[in-house]
């Protein structure tokens, strides 16, 4: 097995990794780091939880530090990371700070939903590494506050989710402003044709690395399913939370409304809970996340988009209160637990309507999830599955076109069923 030393990393970075307790590179790190240090473009098929942030941040920091020694004039922003969500942007920012703590680079994270003043001031004062969500970056570029024409390193992170969230035009506009000569890295958990095409338009002769494909759910995650009627899900959740061994649990719902409902119910029952979703302010989301990380609250309720990429050490339990209608989301959700070698437990609640989602999920992960049938709220309304999917199906015309947005490939299962539910 390779060590970080064998990957040719410099001392200041090795020390920072050691201080973080990283003893061995993860597979994506041992594959990607040497290629990136050779200045290759990179196409990475990897989901969060594989150590992919360090796989790109570490070699970029090292290359930048070598440039620093050579450079006579210090250019402005040299590295741009584009990522779809604010939470992910903040986490990547923290990672750059951690791995680069013995180097003297200035990192700034920018995202929407907050006032731009402080972000603009920081950029004016000079930064080396910019981590941004697409909307806010374009805003500041349009206002003339950010110039990305002298970028040396460009990372497009979570490309599939970027498309899924409708950022494709923003991303393309940003790419059109990048200098031709640059090193580009492209990461996506899935590689449907539309993503591959986008990658081809950004990368030059890229090296390819692929780890833990989305279809092979991490073996170390212990997954189970409870069949339960929709109206009994909160009672079942309470029942499961009675187990004091469950120290911290991330609960997923499909909708913001669903997240709020569960939060209220748990709060009423004196279980400290907060929710993160798109309707919450950035501060409220970050506050909830910090309280959860600091173990001040036991339960965090999240929707898929808000939880994307969230990295919580020692998260042992994920509960899918509602199963996702996009099977890939299931893999992303359960990937919040069992990170970097830890064991995790993923519990899914499945009502009659969701049986079709479960089928898609099992098809994607290539195995049947064991069922826990011995519980106080067994499924009674088995027949809903026959009655309900029909009205949820989009009209035939829409299905034939595969939906109207660019992510229709990615959403293949959702378009077959309830794309209207999100
Ligand atoms: P990521 O896929 O970048 O979101 O990383 C997932 C988690 O793995 C984060 O908590 C990292 O701090 C952790 N991690 C990344 N690389 C290593 C490593 N080589 N050894 C131990 N933990 C790591």
């Amino acid at each position: 097995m390779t060590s970080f030393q064998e990957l040719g990393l410099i001392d200041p970075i090795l020390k920072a990794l050691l201080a973080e307790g990283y003893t061995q590179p993860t597979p994506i790190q041992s594959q990607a780091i040497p290629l990136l240090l050779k200045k290759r473009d990179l196409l990475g098929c990897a989901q969060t939880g594989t150590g992919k942030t360090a796989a790109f941040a570490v070699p970029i920091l090292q290359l930048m530090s070598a440039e620093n020694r050579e450079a006579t004039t210090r250019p402005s922003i040299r590295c741009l990371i584009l990522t779809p969500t604010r939470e992910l942007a903040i986490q990547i920012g923290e990672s750059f700070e951690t791995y680069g703590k013995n180097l003297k680079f200035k990192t700034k994270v920018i995202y929407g939903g907050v006032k731009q003043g402080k972000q603009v001031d920081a950029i004016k004062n000079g930064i080396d590494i910019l981590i941004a969500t697409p909307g806010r970056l374009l805003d500041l570029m349009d206002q003339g506050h950010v110039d990305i024409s002298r970028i040396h390193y460009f990372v497009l992170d979570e490309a599939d989710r970027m498309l899924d969230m409708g950022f494709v035009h923003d991303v393309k506009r940003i790419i059109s402003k990048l200098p031709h000569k640059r090193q580009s890295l492209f990461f996506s958990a899935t590689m449907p044709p539309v993503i591959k095409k986008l990658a081809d338009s950004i990368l030059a002769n890229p090296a390819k690395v692929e780890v833990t494909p989305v279809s092979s759910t991490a073996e170390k995650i212990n997954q189970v399913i409870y069949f339960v009627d929709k109206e009994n899900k909160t009672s079942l959740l309470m029942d499961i939370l009675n187990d004091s061994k469950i120290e911290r649990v991330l609960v997923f719902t499909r909708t913001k409304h669903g997240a709020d409902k569960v939060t209220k119910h748990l709060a009423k029952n004196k279980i400290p809970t907060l929710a993160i979703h798109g309707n919450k302010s950035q501060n409220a989301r970050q506050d909830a996340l910090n309280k959860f990380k600091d173990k001040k609250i036991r339960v965090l309720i999240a929707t898929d988009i808000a939880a994307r990429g969230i990295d919580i050490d020692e998260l042992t339990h994920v509960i899918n209160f509602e199963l996702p209608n996009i099977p890939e989301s299931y893999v992303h959700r359960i990937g919040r637990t069992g990170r970097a070698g830890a064991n995790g437990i993923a519990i899914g609640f499945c009502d009659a309507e969701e049986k079709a989602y479960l089928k898609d999920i099992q098809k994607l992960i290539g195995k049947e999830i064991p069922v826990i049938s011995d519980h106080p709220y067994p499924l009674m309304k088995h027949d809903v599955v026959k009655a309900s999917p029909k009205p949820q199906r989009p009209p035939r015309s829409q299905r034939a076109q595969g939906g109207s947005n660019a992510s229709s490939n990615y959403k293949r299962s959702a378009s077959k069923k309830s794309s209207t539910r999100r």
Side-chain angles (χ1 to χ4, degrees), residues 241-275:
L241 290 176
N242 275 338
D243 180 354
S244 57
K245 279 200 277 317
I246 303 182
E247 270 185 39
R248 262 188 314 181
V249 56
L250 183 59
V251 176
F252 281 96
T253 60
R254 268 196 306 272
T255 62
K256 300 167 196 169
H257 175 68
D260 284 337
K261 243 173 85 179
V262 182
T263 312
K264 271 189 202 140
H265 188 91
L266 293 186
K268 231 193 252 167
N269 286 281
K270 311 240 170 333
I271 297 180
T273 309
L274 286 168

mmCIF file of all heavy atoms in Angstrom, residues 241-275:
data_model
loop_
_atom_site.group_PDB
_atom_site.id
_atom_site.type_symbol
_atom_site.label_atom_id
_atom_site.label_comp_id
_atom_site.label_asym_id
_atom_site.label_seq_id
_atom_site.Cartn_x
_atom_site.Cartn_y
_atom_site.Cartn_z
ATOM 1 N N LEU A 241 -35.588 5.966 17.952
ATOM 2 C CA LEU A 241 -34.755 6.929 18.687
ATOM 3 C C LEU A 241 -34.731 6.645 20.191
ATOM 4 O O LEU A 241 -33.897 7.189 20.910
ATOM 5 C CB LEU A 241 -35.239 8.362 18.426
ATOM 6 C CG LEU A 241 -34.992 8.892 17.009
ATOM 7 C CD1 LEU A 241 -35.602 10.268 16.831
ATOM 8 C CD2 LEU A 241 -33.503 8.919 16.679
ATOM 9 N N ASN A 242 -35.650 5.804 20.661
ATOM 10 C CA ASN A 242 -35.624 5.410 22.078
ATOM 11 C C ASN A 242 -34.353 4.650 22.428
ATOM 12 O O ASN A 242 -33.979 4.552 23.590
ATOM 13 C CB ASN A 242 -36.822 4.502 22.399
ATOM 14 C CG ASN A 242 -38.044 5.352 22.723
ATOM 15 O OD1 ASN A 242 -37.902 6.514 23.092
ATOM 16 N ND2 ASN A 242 -39.221 4.778 22.568
ATOM 17 N N ASP A 243 -33.712 4.112 21.399
ATOM 18 C CA ASP A 243 -32.469 3.389 21.620
ATOM 19 C C ASP A 243 -31.347 4.408 21.865
ATOM 20 O O ASP A 243 -30.922 5.112 20.946
ATOM 21 C CB ASP A 243 -32.160 2.547 20.362
ATOM 22 C CG ASP A 243 -30.874 1.765 20.502
ATOM 23 O OD1 ASP A 243 -30.155 1.954 21.509
ATOM 24 O OD2 ASP A 243 -30.595 0.954 19.602
ATOM 25 N N SER A 244 -30.888 4.489 23.106
ATOM 26 C CA SER A 244 -29.914 5.540 23.438
ATOM 27 C C SER A 244 -28.547 5.280 22.804
ATOM 28 O O SER A 244 -27.675 6.148 22.801
ATOM 29 C CB SER A 244 -29.778 5.662 24.958
ATOM 30 O OG SER A 244 -29.394 4.401 25.465
ATOM 31 N N LYS A 245 -28.377 4.091 22.239
ATOM 32 C CA LYS A 245 -27.099 3.808 21.567
ATOM 33 C C LYS A 245 -26.957 4.660 20.291
ATOM 34 O O LYS A 245 -25.870 4.855 19.791
ATOM 35 C CB LYS A 245 -27.024 2.320 21.225
ATOM 36 C CG LYS A 245 -26.597 1.487 22.435
ATOM 37 C CD LYS A 245 -26.056 0.145 22.039
ATOM 38 C CE LYS A 245 -26.965 -0.935 21.777
ATOM 39 N NZ LYS A 245 -28.039 -1.563 22.152
ATOM 40 N N ILE A 246 -28.116 5.101 19.772
ATOM 41 C CA ILE A 246 -28.063 5.962 18.594
ATOM 42 C C ILE A 246 -27.747 7.384 19.063
ATOM 43 O O ILE A 246 -28.611 8.121 19.506
ATOM 44 C CB ILE A 246 -29.399 5.924 17.818
ATOM 45 C CG1 ILE A 246 -29.733 4.479 17.433
ATOM 46 C CG2 ILE A 246 -29.345 6.824 16.601
ATOM 47 C CD1 ILE A 246 -30.992 4.315 16.635
ATOM 48 N N GLU A 247 -26.478 7.730 18.944
ATOM 49 C CA GLU A 247 -26.039 9.019 19.485
ATOM 50 C C GLU A 247 -26.418 10.184 18.596
ATOM 51 O O GLU A 247 -26.864 11.225 19.040
ATOM 52 C CB GLU A 247 -24.525 9.015 19.628
ATOM 53 C CG GLU A 247 -24.070 8.505 20.965
ATOM 54 C CD GLU A 247 -22.575 8.629 21.085
ATOM 55 O OE1 GLU A 247 -22.019 9.644 20.625
ATOM 56 O OE2 GLU A 247 -21.964 7.691 21.628
ATOM 57 N N ARG A 248 -26.187 9.996 17.298
ATOM 58 C CA ARG A 248 -26.468 11.068 16.351
ATOM 59 C C ARG A 248 -27.016 10.474 15.079
ATOM 60 O O ARG A 248 -26.443 9.514 14.553
ATOM 61 C CB ARG A 248 -25.186 11.809 16.002
ATOM 62 C CG ARG A 248 -25.039 13.069 16.803
ATOM 63 C CD ARG A 248 -23.899 13.862 16.310
ATOM 64 N NE ARG A 248 -22.708 13.052 16.085
ATOM 65 C CZ ARG A 248 -21.565 13.555 15.654
ATOM 66 N NH1 ARG A 248 -21.480 14.824 15.400
ATOM 67 N NH2 ARG A 248 -20.525 12.789 15.468
ATOM 68 N N VAL A 249 -28.107 11.024 14.615
ATOM 69 C CA VAL A 249 -28.707 10.442 13.415
ATOM 70 C C VAL A 249 -29.122 11.530 12.430
ATOM 71 O O VAL A 249 -29.658 12.569 12.809
ATOM 72 C CB VAL A 249 -29.879 9.497 13.799
ATOM 73 C CG1 VAL A 249 -30.916 10.200 14.639
ATOM 74 C CG2 VAL A 249 -30.545 8.889 12.580
ATOM 75 N N LEU A 250 -28.814 11.265 11.188
ATOM 76 C CA LEU A 250 -29.217 12.164 10.102
ATOM 77 C C LEU A 250 -30.456 11.553 9.450
ATOM 78 O O LEU A 250 -30.424 10.396 9.011
ATOM 79 C CB LEU A 250 -28.063 12.275 9.100
ATOM 80 C CG LEU A 250 -28.211 13.207 7.912
ATOM 81 C CD1 LEU A 250 -28.454 14.650 8.352
ATOM 82 C CD2 LEU A 250 -26.934 13.164 7.055
ATOM 83 N N VAL A 251 -31.555 12.321 9.443
ATOM 84 C CA VAL A 251 -32.822 11.798 8.912
ATOM 85 C C VAL A 251 -33.131 12.511 7.601
ATOM 86 O O VAL A 251 -33.126 13.742 7.540
ATOM 87 C CB VAL A 251 -33.964 12.047 9.931
ATOM 88 C CG1 VAL A 251 -35.303 11.605 9.358
ATOM 89 C CG2 VAL A 251 -33.691 11.325 11.240
ATOM 90 N N PHE A 252 -33.406 11.732 6.568
ATOM 91 C CA PHE A 252 -33.697 12.327 5.264
ATOM 92 C C PHE A 252 -35.184 12.308 4.943
ATOM 93 O O PHE A 252 -35.861 11.294 5.150
ATOM 94 C CB PHE A 252 -32.987 11.558 4.151
ATOM 95 C CG PHE A 252 -31.547 11.908 4.030
ATOM 96 C CD1 PHE A 252 -30.583 11.129 4.646
ATOM 97 C CD2 PHE A 252 -31.140 13.015 3.303
ATOM 98 C CE1 PHE A 252 -29.244 11.447 4.541
ATOM 99 C CE2 PHE A 252 -29.808 13.345 3.195
ATOM 100 C CZ PHE A 252 -28.858 12.558 3.808
ATOM 101 N N THR A 253 -35.649 13.443 4.413
ATOM 102 C CA THR A 253 -37.001 13.477 3.848
ATOM 103 C C THR A 253 -36.863 13.896 2.386
ATOM 104 O O THR A 253 -35.818 14.415 1.988
ATOM 105 C CB THR A 253 -37.885 14.505 4.582
ATOM 106 O OG1 THR A 253 -37.288 15.802 4.444
ATOM 107 C CG2 THR A 253 -38.044 14.160 6.059
ATOM 108 N N ARG A 254 -37.939 13.676 1.597
ATOM 109 C CA ARG A 254 -37.852 14.075 0.185
ATOM 110 C C ARG A 254 -38.099 15.572 0.016
ATOM 111 O O ARG A 254 -37.586 16.187 -0.896
ATOM 112 C CB ARG A 254 -38.895 13.312 -0.646
ATOM 113 C CG ARG A 254 -38.384 12.028 -1.259
ATOM 114 C CD ARG A 254 -39.313 11.536 -2.351
ATOM 115 N NE ARG A 254 -40.677 11.392 -1.928
ATOM 116 C CZ ARG A 254 -41.195 10.309 -1.368
ATOM 117 N NH1 ARG A 254 -40.441 9.258 -1.157
ATOM 118 N NH2 ARG A 254 -42.456 10.269 -1.023
ATOM 119 N N THR A 255 -38.962 16.127 0.898
ATOM 120 C CA THR A 255 -39.364 17.521 0.686
ATOM 121 C C THR A 255 -39.029 18.387 1.908
ATOM 122 O O THR A 255 -38.854 17.887 3.020
ATOM 123 C CB THR A 255 -40.882 17.620 0.459
ATOM 124 O OG1 THR A 255 -41.536 17.144 1.634
ATOM 125 C CG2 THR A 255 -41.321 16.806 -0.743
ATOM 126 N N LYS A 256 -39.008 19.712 1.661
ATOM 127 C CA LYS A 256 -38.758 20.674 2.747
ATOM 128 C C LYS A 256 -39.901 20.595 3.755
ATOM 129 O O LYS A 256 -39.691 20.634 4.967
ATOM 130 C CB LYS A 256 -38.710 22.097 2.175
ATOM 131 C CG LYS A 256 -37.641 22.297 1.148
ATOM 132 C CD LYS A 256 -37.857 23.602 0.399
ATOM 133 C CE LYS A 256 -37.032 23.613 -0.880
ATOM 134 N NZ LYS A 256 -37.366 24.708 -1.769
ATOM 135 N N HIS A 257 -41.112 20.503 3.217
ATOM 136 C CA HIS A 257 -42.289 20.426 4.058
ATOM 137 C C HIS A 257 -42.199 19.202 4.977
ATOM 138 O O HIS A 257 -42.452 19.279 6.178
ATOM 139 C CB HIS A 257 -43.525 20.350 3.160
ATOM 140 C CG HIS A 257 -44.802 20.151 3.912
ATOM 141 N ND1 HIS A 257 -45.317 21.118 4.730
ATOM 142 C CD2 HIS A 257 -45.641 19.084 3.990
ATOM 143 C CE1 HIS A 257 -46.431 20.666 5.278
ATOM 144 N NE2 HIS A 257 -46.656 19.428 4.841
ATOM 145 N N GLY A 258 -41.808 18.078 4.397
ATOM 146 C CA GLY A 258 -41.656 16.835 5.168
ATOM 147 C C GLY A 258 -40.622 17.019 6.269
ATOM 148 O O GLY A 258 -40.817 16.581 7.409
ATOM 149 N N ALA A 259 -39.530 17.703 5.940
ATOM 150 C CA ALA A 259 -38.466 17.928 6.928
ATOM 151 C C ALA A 259 -39.009 18.746 8.098
ATOM 152 O O ALA A 259 -38.762 18.426 9.265
ATOM 153 C CB ALA A 259 -37.290 18.658 6.274
ATOM 154 N N ASP A 260 -39.756 19.786 7.800
ATOM 155 C CA ASP A 260 -40.313 20.633 8.867
ATOM 156 C C ASP A 260 -41.293 19.858 9.740
ATOM 157 O O ASP A 260 -41.324 20.029 10.961
ATOM 158 C CB ASP A 260 -41.015 21.853 8.256
ATOM 159 C CG ASP A 260 -40.003 22.887 7.775
ATOM 160 O OD1 ASP A 260 -38.867 22.870 8.280
ATOM 161 O OD2 ASP A 260 -40.353 23.698 6.896
ATOM 162 N N LYS A 261 -42.096 19.018 9.094
ATOM 163 C CA LYS A 261 -43.107 18.254 9.843
ATOM 164 C C LYS A 261 -42.450 17.311 10.860
ATOM 165 O O LYS A 261 -42.837 17.256 12.032
ATOM 166 C CB LYS A 261 -43.964 17.427 8.854
ATOM 167 C CG LYS A 261 -45.419 17.863 8.870
ATOM 168 C CD LYS A 261 -46.213 17.186 7.784
ATOM 169 C CE LYS A 261 -46.730 15.830 8.202
ATOM 170 N NZ LYS A 261 -47.525 15.200 7.148
ATOM 171 N N VAL A 262 -41.440 16.606 10.400
ATOM 172 C CA VAL A 262 -40.760 15.662 11.300
ATOM 173 C C VAL A 262 -40.065 16.429 12.428
ATOM 174 O O VAL A 262 -40.104 16.030 13.595
ATOM 175 C CB VAL A 262 -39.724 14.792 10.529
ATOM 176 C CG1 VAL A 262 -39.058 13.797 11.462
ATOM 177 C CG2 VAL A 262 -40.393 14.061 9.381
ATOM 178 N N THR A 263 -39.439 17.556 12.071
ATOM 179 C CA THR A 263 -38.744 18.357 13.086
ATOM 180 C C THR A 263 -39.718 18.764 14.192
ATOM 181 O O THR A 263 -39.409 18.635 15.385
ATOM 182 C CB THR A 263 -38.148 19.640 12.455
ATOM 183 O OG1 THR A 263 -37.457 19.252 11.282
ATOM 184 C CG2 THR A 263 -37.201 20.340 13.397
ATOM 185 N N LYS A 264 -40.890 19.279 13.781
ATOM 186 C CA LYS A 264 -41.877 19.731 14.765
ATOM 187 C C LYS A 264 -42.292 18.579 15.668
ATOM 188 O O LYS A 264 -42.395 18.718 16.882
ATOM 189 C CB LYS A 264 -43.114 20.282 14.040
ATOM 190 C CG LYS A 264 -42.982 21.754 13.757
ATOM 191 C CD LYS A 264 -44.294 22.332 13.247
ATOM 192 C CE LYS A 264 -44.003 23.609 12.482
ATOM 193 N NZ LYS A 264 -44.810 23.736 11.287
ATOM 194 N N HIS A 265 -42.539 17.436 15.058
ATOM 195 C CA HIS A 265 -43.003 16.278 15.822
ATOM 196 C C HIS A 265 -41.967 15.863 16.873
ATOM 197 O O HIS A 265 -42.302 15.623 18.026
ATOM 198 C CB HIS A 265 -43.294 15.118 14.869
ATOM 199 C CG HIS A 265 -43.957 13.965 15.543
ATOM 200 N ND1 HIS A 265 -45.325 13.828 15.617
ATOM 201 C CD2 HIS A 265 -43.430 12.919 16.211
ATOM 202 C CE1 HIS A 265 -45.610 12.740 16.300
ATOM 203 N NE2 HIS A 265 -44.477 12.160 16.661
ATOM 204 N N LEU A 266 -40.715 15.820 16.463
ATOM 205 C CA LEU A 266 -39.667 15.406 17.405
ATOM 206 C C LEU A 266 -39.484 16.452 18.500
ATOM 207 O O LEU A 266 -39.308 16.110 19.676
ATOM 208 C CB LEU A 266 -38.344 15.166 16.675
ATOM 209 C CG LEU A 266 -38.306 13.981 15.704
ATOM 210 C CD1 LEU A 266 -36.895 13.784 15.178
ATOM 211 C CD2 LEU A 266 -38.781 12.692 16.349
ATOM 212 N N ALA A 267 -39.552 17.725 18.107
ATOM 213 C CA ALA A 267 -39.396 18.795 19.099
ATOM 214 C C ALA A 267 -40.502 18.681 20.149
ATOM 215 O O ALA A 267 -40.250 18.844 21.349
ATOM 216 C CB ALA A 267 -39.431 20.148 18.411
ATOM 217 N N LYS A 268 -41.712 18.396 19.691
ATOM 218 C CA LYS A 268 -42.849 18.239 20.608
ATOM 219 C C LYS A 268 -42.572 17.115 21.603
ATOM 220 O O LYS A 268 -43.002 17.138 22.744
ATOM 221 C CB LYS A 268 -44.093 17.886 19.791
ATOM 222 C CG LYS A 268 -45.291 18.786 20.119
ATOM 223 C CD LYS A 268 -46.550 18.217 19.556
ATOM 224 C CE LYS A 268 -47.048 19.003 18.374
ATOM 225 N NZ LYS A 268 -48.088 18.293 17.626
ATOM 226 N N ASN A 269 -41.842 16.123 21.152
ATOM 227 C CA ASN A 269 -41.521 14.988 22.009
ATOM 228 C C ASN A 269 -40.166 15.132 22.698
ATOM 229 O O ASN A 269 -39.546 14.141 23.096
ATOM 230 C CB ASN A 269 -41.584 13.689 21.198
ATOM 231 C CG ASN A 269 -43.016 13.305 20.901
ATOM 232 O OD1 ASN A 269 -43.713 12.759 21.739
ATOM 233 N ND2 ASN A 269 -43.489 13.643 19.705
ATOM 234 N N LYS A 270 -39.713 16.381 22.759
ATOM 235 C CA LYS A 270 -38.504 16.730 23.517
ATOM 236 C C LYS A 270 -37.225 16.048 23.001
ATOM 237 O O LYS A 270 -36.314 15.733 23.769
ATOM 238 C CB LYS A 270 -38.687 16.415 25.024
ATOM 239 C CG LYS A 270 -39.965 16.939 25.648
ATOM 240 C CD LYS A 270 -39.641 17.891 26.787
ATOM 241 C CE LYS A 270 -40.797 18.669 27.358
ATOM 242 N NZ LYS A 270 -41.942 18.962 26.538
ATOM 243 N N ILE A 271 -37.198 15.825 21.705
ATOM 244 C CA ILE A 271 -35.947 15.315 21.121
ATOM 245 C C ILE A 271 -35.301 16.482 20.385
ATOM 246 O O ILE A 271 -35.880 17.009 19.431
ATOM 247 C CB ILE A 271 -36.214 14.135 20.158
ATOM 248 C CG1 ILE A 271 -36.828 12.982 20.937
ATOM 249 C CG2 ILE A 271 -34.925 13.711 19.448
ATOM 250 C CD1 ILE A 271 -37.140 11.765 20.122
ATOM 251 N N PRO A 272 -34.127 16.927 20.842
ATOM 252 C CA PRO A 272 -33.515 18.103 20.213
ATOM 253 C C PRO A 272 -33.202 17.852 18.732
ATOM 254 O O PRO A 272 -32.410 16.958 18.403
ATOM 255 C CB PRO A 272 -32.224 18.306 21.013
ATOM 256 C CG PRO A 272 -32.334 17.419 22.209
ATOM 257 C CD PRO A 272 -33.300 16.343 21.892
ATOM 258 N N THR A 273 -33.844 18.623 17.883
ATOM 259 C CA THR A 273 -33.769 18.393 16.437
ATOM 260 C C THR A 273 -33.701 19.716 15.693
ATOM 261 O O THR A 273 -34.329 20.683 16.099
ATOM 262 C CB THR A 273 -35.060 17.681 15.963
ATOM 263 O OG1 THR A 273 -35.285 16.551 16.770
ATOM 264 C CG2 THR A 273 -34.974 17.250 14.517
ATOM 265 N N LEU A 274 -32.966 19.751 14.593
ATOM 266 C CA LEU A 274 -33.012 20.908 13.694
ATOM 267 C C LEU A 274 -33.078 20.387 12.265
ATOM 268 O O LEU A 274 -32.748 19.229 12.005
ATOM 269 C CB LEU A 274 -31.773 21.787 13.877
ATOM 270 C CG LEU A 274 -31.744 22.637 15.171
ATOM 271 C CD1 LEU A 274 -30.365 23.238 15.381
ATOM 272 C CD2 LEU A 274 -32.799 23.757 15.119
ATOM 273 N N ALA A 275 -33.529 21.261 11.361
ATOM 274 C CA ALA A 275 -33.640 20.835 9.959
ATOM 275 C C ALA A 275 -32.780 21.717 9.072
ATOM 276 O O ALA A 275 -32.584 22.894 9.361
ATOM 277 C CB ALA A 275 -35.093 20.920 9.511
#
